[in-house]
């Protein structure tokens, strides 16, 4: 029995484990209507983009240091933001580049760009249902069955085929009718589902229109009660990131996943009127550099200053440059963790009792790139990300201070505790979400926010063609 749909993100969700292990129908509870628009049609096609230079109306640059001039037509702010570190102010003059990026879709009746989002990948079974009556089709598009509204089935795999109730095929489409929603695993989603066998299990992919996907992503990645300009910044960044990933790393079965490895997508539970408004008011807008959609990465809080991408990852990119952040409002702007000697020994193995941690390489803003760990049984060098993961830290911007002695007597050299003091949450690249909140709270618009965090990038309008 599937839970009712609700737009309230606090709704209790069931476990991802289906309630029944047998592929039989289960009665689903009634849905709660909330006025969210129904899905739109359209099929996914290949991504083809180019810059139509004849459509260029202006240019958006972000290199004018020391001032933040407003874009044409935007409201002059009476408030000046306070940088978290130092006295730098947001950089860049934000007019905007209205280039035309053409993306192709294959739906003959409607030009609608669809994403393929993997919800469950290689699981032994997954519960599937719909809020309205649904048609089930095979890979050739032939109707092979139907689902009643609010009835759910458990999908599995057998002999290299996917099973759903009494149905069995190489692939099965589950298509809600009359604007209904599809249940996959433990949540409701817009669009439709494609079930395929994978690795002895099931791959469940949600086919969903780009903007309807973003309704959820914005609410999954950012609090929905934040200022609209911050939500609009998130919408443009998320749209750009999704299309970049779709073109660069999407595979034959799906374009994106739904976790933090990609960007978080929680289905319609994460949608609100504010997230829909943010997506609609930035419809089709993406961040570009040299005519290509950029990898618009983002994070929660940098702790005062974002990083140049090559200082954290590998190759430099002209639009991922370190800038002063405005994230002083973040609850994770500063943080502290304390570990006992035993906890450190369990989490960082191979060196015995840990005696000291010494930075070998830091970024210009103090993030740990390499750290030498010295113990009474040896030493090893860890990257900042490895150490962050081992200790469960919020970021790699931290310092470690040993304290006390763990042994008995004055000669003990093993510290009793290790105090880790750090700042920020995430990798520190691209847009800081708490920085976007800080700027939006003081009257800055989404174009200004994006121009500050994605230096040298431009805004372009995509056009989807059948």
């Amino acid at each position: 029995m599937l839970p009712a749909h609700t737009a309230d993100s606090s709704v209790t969700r069931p476990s991802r484990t289906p309630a029944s292990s047998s592929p039989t129908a289960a009665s689903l509870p009634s849905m709660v209507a909330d006025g969210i628009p129904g899905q739109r049609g359209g099929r996914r096609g290949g991504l083809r983009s180019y810059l139509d230079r004849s459509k260029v109306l202006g240019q958006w640059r972000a290199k004018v240091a020391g001032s933040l001039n407003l874009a044409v037509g935007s409201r002059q702010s009476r408030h000046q933001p306070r940088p978290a570190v130092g006295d730098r102010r947001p950089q860049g003059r934000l007019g905007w580049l209205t280039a035309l990026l053409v993306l192709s879709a294959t739906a003959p009746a409607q030009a609608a760009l669809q994403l393929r989002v993997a919800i469950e990948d290689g699981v032994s079974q997954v519960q599937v249902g719909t809020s309205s009556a649904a048609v089930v089709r095979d890979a050739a598009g032939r109707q092979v069955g139907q689902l009643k509204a609010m009835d759910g089935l458990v999908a599995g795999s057998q002999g290299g085929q996917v099973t759903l109730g009494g149905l069995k095929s190489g692939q099965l489409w589950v298509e809600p009718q009359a604007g209904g929603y599809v249940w996959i695993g433990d949540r409701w989603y817009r669009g439709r589902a494609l079930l395929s066998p994978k690795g002895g299990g099931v791959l469940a992919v949600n086919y969903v229109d780009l903007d309807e996907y973003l309704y959820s992503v914005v609410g999954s990645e950012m609090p929905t009660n934040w200022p609209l300009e911050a939500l609009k910044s998130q919408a443009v960044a998320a749209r750009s990131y999704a299309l970049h990933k779709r073109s660069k790393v999407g595979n034959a079965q799906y374009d994106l996943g739904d976790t933090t490895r990609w960007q978080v997508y929680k289905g319609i539970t994460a949608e609100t009127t504010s997230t829909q408004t943010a997506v609609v008011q930035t419809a089709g807008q993406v961040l570009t550099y040299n005519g290509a959609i950029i990898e618009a990465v983002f994070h929660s809080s940098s702790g005062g200053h974002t990083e140049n991408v090559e200082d954290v990852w590998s190759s430099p990119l002209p639009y991922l440059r370190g800038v002063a952040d405005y994230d002083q409002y973040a609850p994770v702007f500063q943080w502290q963790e304390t570990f006992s000697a035993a906890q450190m020994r369990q989490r960082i193995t191979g060196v015995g009792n840990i005696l000291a941690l010494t930075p070998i390489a830091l970024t210009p803003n103090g993030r740990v790139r390499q750290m030498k760990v010295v113990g009474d049984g040896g030493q090893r060098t860890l990257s900042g990300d490895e150490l962050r993961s081992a200790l469960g830290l919020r970021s790699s911007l931290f310092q470690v201070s040993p304290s006390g002695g763990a042994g008995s007597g004055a000669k003990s050299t093993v510290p009793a505790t290790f105090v880790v003091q750090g700042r920020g949450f995430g990798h520190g690249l691209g847009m800081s979400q708490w920085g976007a909140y800080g700027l939006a709270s003081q009257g800055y618009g989404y174009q200004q926010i994006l121009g500050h965090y994605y230096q040298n990038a431009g805004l372009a309008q995509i056009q989807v063609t059948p």
Side-chain angles (χ1 to χ4, degrees):
M1 190 172 192
L2 299 186
H5 158 67
T6 173
D8 182 357
S9 61
S10 65
V11 66
T12 301
R13 303 188 185 100
S15 167
R16 282 187 177 266
T17 303
S20 169
S21 60
S22 61
T24 57
S27 177
L28 310 183
S30 61
M31 298 278 285
V32 178
D34 70 348
I36 296 177
Q39 66 194 41
R40 293 175 292 170
R43 294 178 180 268
R44 179 212 182 250
L47 173 63
R48 179 175 59 89
S49 64
Y50 62 86
L51 178 64
D52 183 350
R53 297 186 182 278
S54 67
K55 299 290 184 180
V56 175
L57 304 178
Q59 192 169 26
W60 179 27
R61 295 298 182 200
K63 292 182 109 175
V64 181
S67 65
L68 181 59
N69 297 315
L70 301 182
V72 174
S74 63
R75 178 175 57 85
Q76 175 68 48
S77 171
R78 293 173 294 177
H79 306 285
Q80 299 301 327
R82 295 174 295 135
V85 176
D87 61 357
R88 293 179 59 194
R89 295 165 64 182
Q91 304 175 28
R93 187 181 191 284
L94 300 175
W96 68 288
L97 170 67
T98 313
L100 181 66
L101 292 172
V102 180
L103 310 181
S104 61
T106 59
Q110 181 176 352
L113 183 64
Q114 286 203 332
L115 291 179
R116 305 170 302 162
V117 187
I119 306 300
E120 300 285 5
D121 191 354
V123 297
S124 60
Q125 57 186 28
V126 57
Q127 193 175 31
V128 178
T130 53
S131 64
S132 62
V135 172
V136 182
R137 304 183 189 277
D138 64 14
R142 296 184 295 261
Q143 181 173 336
V144 295
Q146 292 181 321
L147 288 180
K148 294 180 180 179
M150 304 308 296
D151 275 357
L153 298 175
V154 175
S157 65
Q158 182 180 347
Q161 293 186 308
V162 66
T163 60
L164 183 68
L167 303 175
K168 184 177 180 181
S169 181
Q171 289 183 319
L172 288 173
W173 288 96
V174 178
E175 301 178 344
Q177 304 299 292
Y181 306 112
V182 61
W183 176 268
I184 306 173
D186 65 354
R187 290 172 187 158
W188 290 106
Y189 297 89
R190 295 177 181 272
R192 54 186 178 152
L194 176 62
L195 307 173
S196 307
K198 183 176 181 181
V202 180
L203 170 66
V205 176
N206 178 211
Y207 277 60
V208 60
D209 287 359
L210 172 61
D211 279 357
E212 294 179 346
Y213 162 80
L214 292 172
Y215 292 163
S216 173
V217 169
V218 173
S220 300
E221 287 284 1
M222 183 174 278
T224 59
N225 63 351
W226 277 15
L228 181 59
E229 294 304 305
L231 295 173
K232 288 161 70 174
S233 300
Q234 183 67 66
V236 175
R239 183 182 292 112
S240 304
Y241 182 84
L243 293 177
H244 177 87
K245 287 297 183 184
R246 181 178 186 262
S247 66
K248 298 296 183 181
V249 299
N251 56 53
Q253 294 179 304
Y254 58 86
D255 304 313
L256 300 162
D258 64 345
T259 66
T260 53
R261 179 187 172 193
W262 308 86
Q263 51 189 3
V264 181
Y265 172 54
K266 297 180 180 178
I268 59 177
T269 296
E271 294 183 18
T272 65
T273 301
S274 63
T275 69
Q276 294 175 1
T277 300
V279 173
V280 169
Q281 291 190 5
T282 62
Q285 295 177 24
V286 292
L287 291 155
T288 65
Y289 181 80
N290 279 350
I293 299 173
I294 71 170
E295 186 176 7
V297 295
F298 48 88
H299 61 284
S300 176
S301 164
S302 74
H305 204 286
T306 69
E307 299 281 358
N308 294 329
V309 63
E310 66 271 20
D311 293 328
V312 176
W313 290 343
S314 55
S315 302
L317 291 169
Y319 52 83
L320 292 179
R321 315 313 302 159
V323 296
D325 201 0
Y326 298 83
D327 60 340
Q328 66 270 22
Y329 306 97
V332 291
F333 181 71
Q334 292 182 317
W335 47 265
Q336 179 174 301
E337 300 286 349
T338 301
F339 300 91
S340 67
Q343 288 175 319
M344 293 291 285
R345 184 172 61 249
Q346 291 169 356
R347 298 186 182 210
I348 305 174
T349 60
V351 297
N353 293 307
I354 295 174
L355 305 177
L357 293 93
T358 305
I360 296 175
L362 303 174
T363 70
N365 294 298
R367 291 178 186 272
V368 176
R369 298 190 68 176
Q370 287 188 312
M371 181 84 78
K372 181 169 70 174
V373 181
V374 179
D376 58 10
Q379 65 181 44
R380 57 186 294 199
T381 299
L382 298 176
S383 71
D385 285 342
E386 289 172 333
L387 192 54
R388 176 191 173 191
S389 177
L391 298 179
L393 304 177
R394 295 175 177 85
S395 75
S396 59
L397 181 58
F398 63 86
Q399 296 178 327
V400 184
S401 302
S403 177
S408 60
K411 294 184 178 180
S412 173
T413 58
V414 179
T417 59
F418 294 80
V419 177
V420 182
Q421 294 178 310
R423 298 202 310 273
F425 197 149
H427 48 55
L429 301 175
M431 186 180 73
S432 159
Q433 292 167 315
W434 274 101
Y437 169 86
L439 289 172
S441 295
Q442 297 183 54
Y444 289 94
Y446 77 97
Q447 293 184 27
Q448 299 163 298
I449 295 168
L450 293 170
H452 178 64
Y453 288 109
Y454 300 104
Q455 296 282 299
N456 307 306
L459 275 175
Q461 185 78 30
I462 61 173
Q463 175 180 304
V464 181
T465 59

